[in-house]
């Protein structure tokens, strides 16, 4: 968000958009890079998720934060920052792993709350058993091949696409026209 402040400052001083972008770059990769942004968003989502049961008002604050962040980061990526190579997949998967850890923390918090407030042990044990479902979900998530699609899957998608849409042949790439064969052998001045 510091880049947005710098960008708006330079735009307020009558700099054109390209000049304001150049003056506000480069961002500090330790605090404003794509990876750190994803980590911040993941930790804020985890904190809001974990404490929403204890204090539901936090959901309003979280909604405001994420709504403001959507427009702020959307503006930054499109207008204020230089284009960067797409590493969104790696950051996205890491953020989802952080969310799994956040759900584990949430389960443990609920187990603790239920053990303190409930006179029986059954609610606490039921909440604790949900760790099994989380573990199976995490194993399933970890087994996904997200970096590269297996060849079999590519071939299957290709076959399905051909069955659905038929085979397409661009007319210009078909048999060469008679006039074209003659023009290939000639130079522009008419000589061979």
């Amino acid at each position: 968000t510091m880049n947005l402040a710098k960008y708006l400052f330079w735009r307020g001083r009558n700099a054109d958009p390209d000049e304001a972008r150049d003056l506000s770059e480069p961002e500090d990769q330790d605090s404003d890079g794509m990876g750190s942004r994803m980590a911040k968003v993941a930790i804020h989502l985890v904190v809001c998720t974990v404490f929403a049961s204890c204090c539901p008002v936090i959901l309003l604050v979280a909604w405001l934060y994420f709504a403001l962040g959507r427009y702020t980061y959307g503006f930054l990526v499109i207008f204020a920052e230089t284009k960067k190579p797409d590493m969104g997949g790696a950051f996205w998967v890491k953020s989802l792993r952080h969310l799994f850890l956040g759900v584990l923390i949430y389960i443990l918090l609920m187990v603790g709350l239920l053990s303190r407030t409930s006179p029986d042990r059954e609610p606490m044990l039921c909440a604790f058993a949900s760790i099994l479902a989380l573990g199976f979900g995490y194993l399933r998530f970890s087994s996904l091949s997200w970096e590269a699609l297996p060849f079999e899957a590519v071939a299957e998608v290709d076959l399905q696409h051909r069955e659905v849409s038929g085979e397409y042949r661009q007319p210009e790439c078909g048999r060469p026209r008679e006039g074209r064969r003659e023009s290939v052998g000639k130079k522009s001045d008419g000589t061979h």
Side-chain angles (χ1 to χ4, degrees), residues 146-166:
W146 63 272
E147 290 184 28
L149 197 59
F151 178 73
E152 293 82 13
V154 173
E156 182 179 321
V157 168
D158 188 43
L159 287 175
Q160 288 174 354
H161 178 69
R162 285 184 186 178
E163 290 173 2
V164 171
S165 63

Side-chain angles (χ1 to χ4, degrees), residues 4-6 13-14 38 44 51 57 63 65 83 99 114 117 124 126 153 157 166 174-175 183 188:
L4 179 61
K6 287 182 194 176
R13 303 213 42 187
N14 296 327
M38 289 295 287
H44 289 133
F51 293 111
V57 176
W63 184 84
Y65 171 78
K83 301 288 184 213
L99 292 179
L114 289 172
T117 58
M124 178 192 66
C126 184
V157 168
R175 287 184 277 151
S183 65
S188 61

